[in-house]
């Protein structure tokens, strides 16, 4: 009987990592020297924030995403903590609000101005005071607006409601006091009804974040977990840590039964912490090692074998921390499905690395971009605290597409979508092209459009108007491909006008010649 190898059919088998060119990196960035096992970097479609060194307290930098190249050594900082900043996280529903945790036992909420920073920001919007020792982790709730979780070295997880008028909040709405040692990581499931934590006491816990009760607890001795992650809607947990022989290891768990892992996989003998990242849209898992230059990635399936190794991105520059761009900030025209921002302390450099699915077509690839979580909450803080659960509001990544969820909840401070400003010159060019071609560029086909009521369309239309200009009627080019297409079309139009002008000139010369002949004939008579 002959042996036939088992081949898996996967559209992500050939995904590859593409580092940004030198001019598209962020150079001369003073990255923190802290030994905390955190990301030290947070990214959204407008800004990249990175923890930095600062004399006399803690600070972090907020750099506009388009401001690549060498950073000014006197670039303004966000500095208001009395101790080192240990963790930073952007509000998922407001691209201009960020939370920071510090060794001074406080959490601060900052408003970042839309214009370029001209001086240091020292006054925060809110200050959360409740921990007895330094705060190592902060996490925003994935679906509820204004709910923030913090974990401190006092072994407590605190739940904060930011939907209040007080600038200084002295007491959280809930304190979870079930850990016996320092909390190392926190992760929410898709709708935020469950919270998973890892602790220095080597236990993984699944908690009810509102009641503060422990639903599941892992006492498995063969795996010392440092980071934990919910795997979307698969009802599984992934943890990274070390085995009893001190090899770096991954373990997959059933979230309803943490007695024994479903599978374990040893990676190598290095000592750096492994940071896991999961993309629920593509079912891909990325594992980034602190102190490594490589990024391993896997495809996760509900059936055995659960973890299918694809390949790894290799680099000779080790990363101290890592940031991840939300899906709504990716470049869909290049088939980019994930983007990392590597903090390379040896070169004071932040290097973007794009994970790309190789496709020949430049059109929008519907199969690799399913509906994803958008920048709009599905619950208010009061609704979530009262016991309601709801999944995220979904959006399509197709350029110019609308919300897909049936009941979007308008946030208190409207989040902005990354849309380039349209200049009057560009607008006139686009309108001219629309008038000539008789079609609207970058619009959805009629059958692909979501079914909305006329009243809802009218409300959405109001939100699209910027200074009386409809950004979806004729949007400016967002990618290099779109810009090139517009350039080629303009060149074609110029060529056509020149040909027309040449024809008119020939006709004018012929008319002049005929008139001259007529005059000569009349004079002869």
């Amino acid at each position: 009987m002959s042996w036939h190898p088992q081949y898996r059919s996967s559209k992500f088998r050939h995904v590859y990592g593409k580092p940004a060119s030198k001019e598209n990196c962020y150079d001369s960035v003073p990255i923190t020297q802290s030994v905390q096992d955190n990301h030290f970097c947070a990214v959204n479609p407008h800004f990249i924030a990175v923890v930095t060194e600062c004399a006399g307290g803690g600070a972090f930098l907020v750099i506009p995403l388009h401001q690549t190249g060498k950073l000014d050594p006197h670039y303004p900082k966000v500095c208001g903590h009395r101790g080192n900043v240990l963790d930073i996280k952007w509000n998922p529903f407001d691209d201009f609000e960020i939370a920071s945790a510090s060794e001074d036992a406080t959490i601060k909420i900052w408003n970042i101005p839309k214009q370029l920073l001209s001086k240091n920001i020292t006054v925060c919007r809110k200050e959360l005071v409740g921990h007895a020792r330094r705060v190592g982790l902060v996490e925003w709730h994935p679906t509820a607006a204004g709910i923030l979780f913090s974990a401190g070295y006092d072994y407590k997880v605190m739940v904060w409601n930011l939907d209040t008028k007080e600038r200084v909040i002295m007491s959280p709405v809930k304190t979870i006091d079930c850990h016996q040692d320092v909390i190392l990581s926190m992760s929410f499931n898709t709708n935020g009804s469950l919270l998973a934590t890892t602790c220095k006491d080597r236990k993984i816990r699944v908690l009810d974040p509102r009641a503060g009760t422990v639903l599941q607890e892992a006492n498995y001795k063969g795996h010392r977990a440092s980071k934990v992650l919910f795997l979307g809607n698969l009802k599984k947990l992934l943890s990274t840590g070390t085995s009893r022989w001190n090899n770096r290891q991954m373990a997959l768990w059933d979230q309803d039964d943490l007695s024994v892992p479903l599978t374990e996989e040893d990676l190598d003998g290095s000592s750096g912490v492994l940071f896991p990242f999961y993309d629920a849209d593509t079912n891909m898992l990325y594992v980034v090692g602190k102190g490594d230059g490589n990024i391993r990635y896997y495809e996760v399936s509900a059936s055995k074998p659960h973890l299918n190794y694809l390949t790894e991105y290799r680099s000779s520059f080790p990363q101290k921390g890592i940031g991840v761009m939300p899906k709504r900030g990716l470049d869909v025209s290049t088939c980019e499905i994930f983007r990392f921002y590597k903090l390379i302390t040896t070169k004071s450099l932040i290097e973007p690395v794009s994970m790309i699915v190789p496709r020949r077509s430049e059109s929008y690839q519907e199969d690799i971009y399913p509906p994803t979580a958008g920048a709009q909450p599905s619950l208010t803080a009061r609704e979530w605290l009262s016991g309601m659960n709801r999944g995220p509001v979904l959006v399509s990544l197709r350029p110019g597409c609308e919300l897909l969820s049936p009941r979007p909840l308008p946030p208190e401070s409207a989040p902005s979508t990354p849309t380039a400003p349209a200049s009057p010159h560009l607008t006139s060019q686009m309108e001219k092209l629309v008038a000539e071609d008789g079609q609207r560029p970058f619009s959805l086909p009629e059958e692909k459009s979501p079914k909305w009521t006329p009243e809802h369309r009218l409300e959405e239309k109001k939100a699209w108007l910027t200074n009386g200009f409809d950004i979806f009627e004729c949007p400016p080019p967002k990618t290099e491909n779109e810009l090139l297409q517009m350039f080629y079309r303009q060149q074609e139009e110029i060529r056509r006008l020149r040909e027309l002008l040449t024809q008119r000139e020939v006709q004018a010369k012929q008319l002049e010649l005929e008139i001259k002949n007529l005059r000569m004939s009349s004079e002869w008579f």
Side-chain angles (χ1 to χ4, degrees), residues 14-15 33 64 117-118 166 195 217 457 469 496 498:
H14 303 293
V15 170
Q33 300 297 321
L117 293 182
S118 58
E166 292 83 5
L195 174 68
E217 188 175 277
R457 285 187 181 275
F469 174 70
R496 188 180 68 81
R498 282 177 177 171

Side-chain angles (χ1 to χ4, degrees), residues 98-117:
I98 189 170
S100 61
S102 171
E103 289 182 348
D104 62 9
T106 66
I107 304 108
K108 293 181 186 289
I109 313 298
W110 307 86
N111 280 343
I112 305 300
K114 296 183 180 181
Q115 65 272 15
L116 192 65
L117 293 182

